[in-house]
Amino acid sequence: MNKHFAIYHKITVFIMKVLIVDDNQDITGLLSKFLKAKGFDNVVTNDPRDGLERIKEEKYDVILLDISMPEFSGIDIIQTLEREKILKDQKIVIFSATAFTTNQINDLLKKEGVQACLKKPIQLNELLTAITS
Amino acid sequence: MNLNTKLVILFLCIALIPMIILEAISITEISDDLLYQKELALDSSLVSKIADIEHYLDTRQIQTKLFASTFLPLQLDLNKIKDPETLDKIQILIDAMLVEARSNSLNNFGDVDTRSSINTIFFSDRDGKILASTNRGLIGHKIPSEFLDQISQTNYYFGGFQKNQVISRNYVTFSEDLRDLEGNIFGKIALQTSLNAIEGRNLSTGLENNNSIFLVDSTSRQISSDPKVKYSVQNWNSETWLIDRCFAGQLISEQYINKDGKEVLGVLKFLKNENLCIVGEITLDNVFSPIYDLQFKLLTVFSLLLVGIVLVAIFFSRTISNPIKKLSTTMNEIRKGNFYVKLDKKSDSSNNELDQLTNGFDKLLQYVQSTQENLQGLVKVQTRKLEDSNKALLENMNLIKKQQEDLSNFKEALDKSANVLITDISGTIVYVNDDFCKVSKFSREELLGENPRIVNSYYHNKEFFKNMWETILEGKTWKGDIKNKAKDGSYFWSKSTISPLLGDNGEPEQFIAIHTDITNQKILEEKLSEALKNVQESELQKEEFSSMMTHELNTPLVPIKGYCEMIKDTDTFGPLNNDQLDFINKIDSNATLLERLISDLLDVQKLDMKKMSFLITEFNLGGFMDELKENNMHLMKNKKINFTLKYPKNLNLNTDKQRLRQILDNLIRNSVDFVPIKDGMISVEVKIKEKNIIFSVQDNGPGIPKDKQSHIFKKFYQIDTSATRKHGGTGLGLVICKGIVEGLEGKIWLESEPGKGTTFFIYLPAPKEKVVIEKLA
């Protein structure tokens, strides 16, 4: 099954460009290596503000966004994008440390442009499903 | 007229007038009654007398006829009577008649006859010449023509005759014509009877003395044998009109003056057959004599009563007037100024109003006397009191002085204990005490004439001072805590009471502010509130702790688990030998356990803090169960467990989907750990009872002993501690399950017997009606 997945992605999603926004370098490193191995083009940033700038500058096929970041959280980014009316153009997959969907996360998921929420620790096969669906 | 006389007259009037009226009425009644009775008596007497008279007249006429019939056998005629022999026979016959009549008179006519015996019987020729007579002296005389005329008319005549002369003495003469066989009148036979039976004297026989009854003829002559009453001339009465009326047939009952000049009650009756009037008279004196008697007696009684009443009246009036006189005399004495007059004191218990008046007056007098005495005493006392009050006044003045001193002492005390500030109506400071200067660090000279704003710290807003001014300008007292600023810039707090001092017109003239320094207290308060704030913050931090923990603990797990997964992905990242794969699997499974442990710990903490929130959504049971089956399938495959699910189709649930998953996952995982290695069986079933939902998770594990069932929902409890590692649980799963179910207002329980497996039940109540209604709307 994994084989099928990998082949599928190598062929079809070759051109997909993923932006990874997380303040933790270990996580961004893991995700970057994993996605690269799976054939995705990706850009990593550990600074949420930088992430926001990049989103504004360039169109990404998928944005992986950590919710819990110091100073400027994933929620702030989403709210900024919403204010600037470019949220609905995005495809954002958010990571939440909470095991269960809170009202806050639920509200985010209702917004157009927010694709899915993955709980930490992230199951990599779940991540792949979320990106490609 | 004095009171006595008036009273006597009053008594007389009251007593006599009714009596006189009563007497008058009764006498009138009695007189009428008497008159009526007498009238009745007279009437009945007359009736009986009339019967007598008629009887007498009838019998005598019949006798005359009888006598006449005795002449028939003689067969006389006009010629024969001229024969002296015949006349002798007639004479004999007449004599015999008289003898027989007198001898039989007792038998035939009763006592009437005794009084009116036949006096004379005579026989005359047709012309009235008497041919034979029992009174020989009459023979040869002619009956007077007047007499004859009368007889021929009525057959009887009240009167008699002697020789040629009619006499009116006590005679009634009855006559009868004698006829021959041819019917020619040849003579007359006449009976001359004495009138005793019907003359007045005899008619009155058997009546009361004063009654008289007599007969009157149509010429108003009274029929009487009284020699004094001249037959021819005597009118019984001058009131002939009464007689006229009587002869006219009227019944008469009248009062008039009779021939003797007396007042009489007379009753007149007309005897038609005899052409006579019978009169009964009774003198009124006689009638009313009982009344005169009565009047005399009454008069006597009245006189006695009069005397008695007068005496009684005099007595009573004296008993009333004497005490009054006495009182008035006493009053006069008192008016003259003599207050020491003595009154006869009466018994207090007397019911007599006058006695009570006297006593009352006596008491009044005594009161006046005592008042007189008291007054004199009072003047003395008042004089003494005046002196006393003068003394008291002096003492009071001393007291006032002392109070003034006290007041200044009080002011001093106030000055010492509090900060005092006084302003005028415009808010200019007119007085401050030393303490205020000390606290504010301003000198008195700096403060006087200034506005209290000089110590304003600008801690309070404008509303605060506006409210304060409005209160005190209304004349009310304001109380509050004020933060002030001292001259050197430090702050001081004071508990202030600001009162207006009202002027004569009731308007505030000054304001006095009494401050108590509460700076230290306020500092403490501030510290306290800060501490409170800290506590609240730490509470908040505690809440944030869970999310922080989640984040911080989970973050390192991301690369650990992620790299494990990547290493295991041999297709992408290259092959591993078996040992390496085993190691990586162990790292991965321990990381997973750690992850679960962290999650459980955080849940337990949330439950403890009651901060667990639920997200209720509507979802399809079928889809939910499919996911459940899929997610747990790898566990079942590993142990080859027979995993079955039974649930109603097309059912939607309203609850927290993820938490429900968590519970069921927990229960299923527990079952997986405990079912036998071979022929393990786990069955999940959903049932609906009256819209409430019951989940059950049944296994064929070893079961739980009864005595341990109650402990199973306790933290970190493991039935078999040695099995902890073997089962790899956190010991928190069921605790969390119970907490969540209860958070969803449901219940969790189990049924188990050792060797027969275990069944956990979860009961979730139907969504409340309210929710349903909202959805319908």
Side-chain angles (χ1 to χ4, degrees), chain B residues 37-73:
Chain B
Q37 280 182 10
K38 288 290 174 190
E39 198 182 308
L40 276 182
L42 264 181
D43 195 62
S44 61
S45 299
L46 288 185
V47 168
S48 75
K49 291 298 171 192
I50 286 166
D52 278 356
I53 290 164
E54 284 182 344
H55 178 229
Y56 174 77
L57 292 175
D58 283 351
T59 49
R60 284 301 175 209
Q61 281 184 64
I62 290 162
Q63 203 171 18
T64 313
K65 281 187 197 316
L66 272 171
F67 286 162
S69 65
T70 52
F71 282 91
L72 285 174

Short mmCIF file of all heavy atoms in Angstrom, two decimals, chain B residues 37-73:
data_model
loop_
_atom_site.label_atom_id
_atom_site.label_comp_id
_atom_site.label_asym_id
_atom_site.label_seq_id
_atom_site.Cartn_x
_atom_site.Cartn_y
_atom_site.Cartn_z
N GLN B 37 -134.25 54.13 82.25
CA GLN B 37 -134.85 53.06 83.05
C GLN B 37 -136.22 53.47 83.58
O GLN B 37 -137.19 52.69 83.55
CB GLN B 37 -133.92 52.71 84.21
CG GLN B 37 -132.78 51.81 83.76
CD GLN B 37 -131.90 51.42 84.92
OE1 GLN B 37 -132.23 51.68 86.08
NE2 GLN B 37 -130.78 50.79 84.58
N LYS B 38 -136.29 54.70 84.05
CA LYS B 38 -137.56 55.18 84.59
C LYS B 38 -138.61 55.20 83.49
O LYS B 38 -139.78 54.84 83.70
CB LYS B 38 -137.39 56.60 85.17
CG LYS B 38 -136.60 56.61 86.46
CD LYS B 38 -137.40 55.97 87.61
CE LYS B 38 -136.51 55.87 88.86
NZ LYS B 38 -137.15 55.06 89.91
N GLU B 39 -138.14 55.64 82.33
CA GLU B 39 -139.05 55.72 81.19
C GLU B 39 -139.60 54.33 80.89
O GLU B 39 -140.81 54.14 80.71
CB GLU B 39 -138.24 56.25 80.01
CG GLU B 39 -139.09 56.79 78.88
CD GLU B 39 -138.20 57.25 77.73
OE1 GLU B 39 -137.26 58.04 77.98
OE2 GLU B 39 -138.40 56.76 76.60
N LEU B 40 -138.69 53.35 80.89
CA LEU B 40 -139.09 51.97 80.63
C LEU B 40 -140.11 51.50 81.66
O LEU B 40 -141.14 50.89 81.33
CB LEU B 40 -137.87 51.05 80.65
CG LEU B 40 -137.08 50.94 79.36
CD1 LEU B 40 -135.95 49.95 79.55
CD2 LEU B 40 -138.00 50.47 78.22
N ALA B 41 -139.80 51.84 82.96
CA ALA B 41 -140.67 51.40 84.05
C ALA B 41 -142.07 52.01 83.90
O ALA B 41 -143.10 51.30 84.03
CB ALA B 41 -140.05 51.82 85.39
N LEU B 42 -142.08 53.30 83.58
CA LEU B 42 -143.35 53.99 83.39
C LEU B 42 -144.14 53.34 82.25
O LEU B 42 -145.34 53.06 82.39
CB LEU B 42 -143.09 55.45 83.04
CG LEU B 42 -143.13 56.46 84.19
CD1 LEU B 42 -142.89 57.85 83.64
CD2 LEU B 42 -144.48 56.42 84.92
N ASP B 43 -143.42 53.11 81.19
CA ASP B 43 -144.03 52.53 80.01
C ASP B 43 -144.68 51.20 80.33
O ASP B 43 -145.86 50.97 80.00
CB ASP B 43 -142.96 52.37 78.93
CG ASP B 43 -143.58 52.13 77.56
OD1 ASP B 43 -144.29 53.02 77.08
OD2 ASP B 43 -143.33 51.03 77.00
N SER B 44 -143.93 50.38 81.04
CA SER B 44 -144.48 49.05 81.35
C SER B 44 -145.67 49.17 82.32
O SER B 44 -146.67 48.45 82.19
CB SER B 44 -143.38 48.14 81.92
OG SER B 44 -142.88 48.70 83.09
N SER B 45 -145.60 50.13 83.26
CA SER B 45 -146.72 50.36 84.17
C SER B 45 -147.96 50.75 83.37
O SER B 45 -149.07 50.22 83.60
CB SER B 45 -146.41 51.50 85.14
OG SER B 45 -145.29 51.18 85.89
N LEU B 46 -147.74 51.66 82.43
CA LEU B 46 -148.88 52.13 81.62
C LEU B 46 -149.51 50.98 80.86
O LEU B 46 -150.73 50.85 80.82
CB LEU B 46 -148.40 53.20 80.63
CG LEU B 46 -148.04 54.56 81.23
CD1 LEU B 46 -147.70 55.56 80.13
CD2 LEU B 46 -149.19 55.11 82.09
N VAL B 47 -148.62 50.13 80.29
CA VAL B 47 -149.14 49.01 79.51
C VAL B 47 -150.05 48.13 80.37
O VAL B 47 -151.16 47.77 79.98
CB VAL B 47 -147.99 48.19 78.91
CG1 VAL B 47 -148.48 46.86 78.34
CG2 VAL B 47 -147.28 48.99 77.82
N SER B 48 -149.59 47.86 81.61
CA SER B 48 -150.40 46.98 82.48
C SER B 48 -151.71 47.68 82.90
O SER B 48 -152.78 47.08 82.97
CB SER B 48 -149.58 46.52 83.68
OG SER B 48 -149.46 47.56 84.60
N LYS B 49 -151.58 48.97 83.10
CA LYS B 49 -152.78 49.71 83.51
C LYS B 49 -153.78 49.76 82.35
O LYS B 49 -155.00 49.61 82.56
CB LYS B 49 -152.42 51.15 83.92
CG LYS B 49 -151.64 51.22 85.22
CD LYS B 49 -152.43 50.67 86.40
CE LYS B 49 -151.51 50.54 87.63
NZ LYS B 49 -152.13 49.76 88.71
N ILE B 50 -153.25 49.98 81.15
CA ILE B 50 -154.14 50.01 79.98
C ILE B 50 -154.93 48.69 79.91
O ILE B 50 -156.15 48.67 79.68
CB ILE B 50 -153.32 50.25 78.71
CG1 ILE B 50 -152.88 51.70 78.65
CG2 ILE B 50 -154.15 49.93 77.45
CD1 ILE B 50 -151.80 51.97 77.63
N ALA B 51 -154.20 47.58 80.13
CA ALA B 51 -154.86 46.26 80.11
C ALA B 51 -155.99 46.21 81.14
O ALA B 51 -157.10 45.74 80.86
CB ALA B 51 -153.82 45.18 80.37
N ASP B 52 -155.67 46.72 82.35
CA ASP B 52 -156.68 46.75 83.42
C ASP B 52 -157.92 47.51 82.98
O ASP B 52 -159.08 47.03 83.13
CB ASP B 52 -156.09 47.45 84.65
CG ASP B 52 -155.24 46.50 85.48
OD1 ASP B 52 -155.19 45.29 85.11
OD2 ASP B 52 -154.61 46.94 86.47
N ILE B 53 -157.62 48.73 82.46
CA ILE B 53 -158.75 49.61 82.11
C ILE B 53 -159.61 48.96 81.04
O ILE B 53 -160.85 48.90 81.15
CB ILE B 53 -158.20 50.97 81.62
CG1 ILE B 53 -157.59 51.73 82.81
CG2 ILE B 53 -159.31 51.80 80.97
CD1 ILE B 53 -156.71 52.88 82.42
N GLU B 54 -158.96 48.43 80.02
CA GLU B 54 -159.72 47.84 78.92
C GLU B 54 -160.53 46.66 79.39
O GLU B 54 -161.71 46.48 79.02
CB GLU B 54 -158.76 47.44 77.78
CG GLU B 54 -158.33 48.68 77.01
CD GLU B 54 -157.42 48.36 75.83
OE1 GLU B 54 -156.88 47.24 75.80
OE2 GLU B 54 -157.24 49.24 74.97
N HIS B 55 -159.87 45.87 80.28
CA HIS B 55 -160.57 44.73 80.85
C HIS B 55 -161.84 45.16 81.60
O HIS B 55 -162.93 44.62 81.43
CB HIS B 55 -159.61 43.97 81.77
CG HIS B 55 -160.25 42.81 82.44
ND1 HIS B 55 -160.14 42.59 83.79
CD2 HIS B 55 -161.04 41.81 81.99
CE1 HIS B 55 -160.85 41.54 84.13
NE2 HIS B 55 -161.40 41.03 83.02
N TYR B 56 -161.64 46.19 82.36
CA TYR B 56 -162.75 46.70 83.18
C TYR B 56 -163.88 47.16 82.28
O TYR B 56 -165.04 46.77 82.46
CB TYR B 56 -162.24 47.84 84.07
CG TYR B 56 -163.32 48.53 84.84
CD1 TYR B 56 -163.86 47.94 85.99
CD2 TYR B 56 -163.81 49.77 84.43
CE1 TYR B 56 -164.88 48.57 86.68
CE2 TYR B 56 -164.81 50.41 85.13
CZ TYR B 56 -165.32 49.80 86.25
OH TYR B 56 -166.33 50.43 86.95
N LEU B 57 -163.53 47.99 81.32
CA LEU B 57 -164.56 48.56 80.44
C LEU B 57 -165.27 47.44 79.68
O LEU B 57 -166.51 47.43 79.59
CB LEU B 57 -163.94 49.55 79.46
CG LEU B 57 -163.40 50.84 80.11
CD1 LEU B 57 -162.69 51.70 79.07
CD2 LEU B 57 -164.54 51.65 80.76
N ASP B 58 -164.52 46.48 79.17
CA ASP B 58 -165.10 45.39 78.42
C ASP B 58 -166.08 44.60 79.28
O ASP B 58 -167.21 44.32 78.86
CB ASP B 58 -164.00 44.43 77.91
CG ASP B 58 -163.27 45.02 76.71
OD1 ASP B 58 -163.74 46.06 76.19
OD2 ASP B 58 -162.21 44.45 76.30
N THR B 59 -165.61 44.26 80.48
CA THR B 59 -166.45 43.41 81.33
C THR B 59 -167.76 44.13 81.68
O THR B 59 -168.85 43.52 81.69
CB THR B 59 -165.75 43.02 82.64
OG1 THR B 59 -165.20 44.18 83.23
CG2 THR B 59 -164.63 42.03 82.38
N ARG B 60 -167.64 45.43 81.92
CA ARG B 60 -168.84 46.17 82.30
C ARG B 60 -169.79 46.27 81.08
O ARG B 60 -171.01 46.14 81.24
CB ARG B 60 -168.49 47.59 82.76
CG ARG B 60 -167.90 47.66 84.17
CD ARG B 60 -168.84 47.09 85.23
NE ARG B 60 -168.19 47.06 86.53
CZ ARG B 60 -168.46 46.19 87.51
NH1 ARG B 60 -169.35 45.20 87.31
NH2 ARG B 60 -167.88 46.25 88.68
N GLN B 61 -169.27 46.42 79.93
CA GLN B 61 -170.16 46.50 78.76
C GLN B 61 -170.89 45.17 78.55
O GLN B 61 -172.08 45.12 78.26
CB GLN B 61 -169.32 46.84 77.51
CG GLN B 61 -168.99 48.32 77.45
CD GLN B 61 -168.26 48.67 76.18
OE1 GLN B 61 -168.85 48.52 75.10
NE2 GLN B 61 -167.01 49.12 76.32
N ILE B 62 -170.10 44.10 78.74
CA ILE B 62 -170.70 42.78 78.59
C ILE B 62 -171.80 42.58 79.63
O ILE B 62 -172.90 42.07 79.33
CB ILE B 62 -169.62 41.69 78.68
CG1 ILE B 62 -168.75 41.74 77.42
CG2 ILE B 62 -170.24 40.29 78.85
CD1 ILE B 62 -167.43 41.04 77.56
N GLN B 63 -171.47 43.02 80.84
CA GLN B 63 -172.48 42.90 81.92
C GLN B 63 -173.77 43.65 81.55
O GLN B 63 -174.90 43.13 81.75
CB GLN B 63 -171.87 43.48 83.22
CG GLN B 63 -172.53 42.94 84.45
CD GLN B 63 -171.78 43.34 85.72
OE1 GLN B 63 -170.96 44.28 85.73
NE2 GLN B 63 -172.07 42.61 86.81
N THR B 64 -173.55 44.85 80.99
CA THR B 64 -174.72 45.67 80.59
C THR B 64 -175.55 44.91 79.56
O THR B 64 -176.79 44.86 79.60
CB THR B 64 -174.25 47.00 80.00
OG1 THR B 64 -173.26 47.55 80.86
CG2 THR B 64 -175.42 47.96 79.87
N LYS B 65 -174.82 44.31 78.57
CA LYS B 65 -175.52 43.55 77.54
C LYS B 65 -176.26 42.37 78.15
O LYS B 65 -177.41 42.08 77.77
CB LYS B 65 -174.51 43.03 76.49
CG LYS B 65 -174.10 44.09 75.49
CD LYS B 65 -173.26 43.42 74.39
CE LYS B 65 -172.44 44.28 73.53
NZ LYS B 65 -172.85 45.46 72.95
N LEU B 66 -175.64 41.73 79.13
CA LEU B 66 -176.29 40.61 79.80
C LEU B 66 -177.59 41.06 80.47
O LEU B 66 -178.64 40.42 80.36
CB LEU B 66 -175.36 40.00 80.86
CG LEU B 66 -174.42 38.91 80.36
CD1 LEU B 66 -173.43 38.55 81.45
CD2 LEU B 66 -175.24 37.63 80.00
N PHE B 67 -177.41 42.16 81.17
CA PHE B 67 -178.59 42.71 81.84
C PHE B 67 -179.69 43.03 80.82
O PHE B 67 -180.87 42.76 81.04
CB PHE B 67 -178.21 43.97 82.64
CG PHE B 67 -177.45 43.66 83.90
CD1 PHE B 67 -176.71 44.64 84.55
CD2 PHE B 67 -177.52 42.39 84.49
CE1 PHE B 67 -176.02 44.36 85.70
CE2 PHE B 67 -176.84 42.14 85.65
CZ PHE B 67 -176.07 43.10 86.26
N ALA B 68 -179.28 43.59 79.69
CA ALA B 68 -180.28 43.95 78.66
C ALA B 68 -181.00 42.72 78.16
O ALA B 68 -182.21 42.74 77.91
CB ALA B 68 -179.58 44.67 77.51
N SER B 69 -180.23 41.61 78.08
CA SER B 69 -180.85 40.40 77.54
C SER B 69 -181.90 39.81 78.49
O SER B 69 -182.81 39.12 78.05
CB SER B 69 -179.75 39.35 77.26
OG SER B 69 -179.16 38.97 78.46
N THR B 70 -181.76 40.10 79.75
CA THR B 70 -182.73 39.57 80.70
C THR B 70 -184.10 40.19 80.50
O THR B 70 -185.10 39.71 81.02
CB THR B 70 -182.28 39.81 82.15
OG1 THR B 70 -181.98 41.18 82.30
CG2 THR B 70 -181.06 38.98 82.51
N PHE B 71 -184.16 41.31 79.75
CA PHE B 71 -185.47 41.93 79.50
C PHE B 71 -186.24 41.23 78.40
O PHE B 71 -187.43 41.40 78.27
CB PHE B 71 -185.26 43.43 79.10
CG PHE B 71 -184.98 44.32 80.28
CD1 PHE B 71 -183.73 44.59 80.73
CD2 PHE B 71 -186.09 44.90 81.01
CE1 PHE B 71 -183.49 45.40 81.83
CE2 PHE B 71 -185.85 45.70 82.10
CZ PHE B 71 -184.54 45.96 82.53
N LEU B 72 -185.59 40.41 77.63
CA LEU B 72 -186.24 39.76 76.49
C LEU B 72 -187.43 38.89 76.92
O LEU B 72 -188.51 38.99 76.33
CB LEU B 72 -185.22 38.93 75.70
CG LEU B 72 -184.26 39.78 74.83
CD1 LEU B 72 -183.21 38.87 74.22
CD2 LEU B 72 -185.04 40.47 73.72
N PRO B 73 -187.28 38.08 77.93
CA PRO B 73 -188.42 37.22 78.28
C PRO B 73 -189.67 38.03 78.64
O PRO B 73 -190.81 37.54 78.52
CB PRO B 73 -187.90 36.44 79.49
CG PRO B 73 -186.39 36.55 79.42
CD PRO B 73 -186.13 37.81 78.77
#
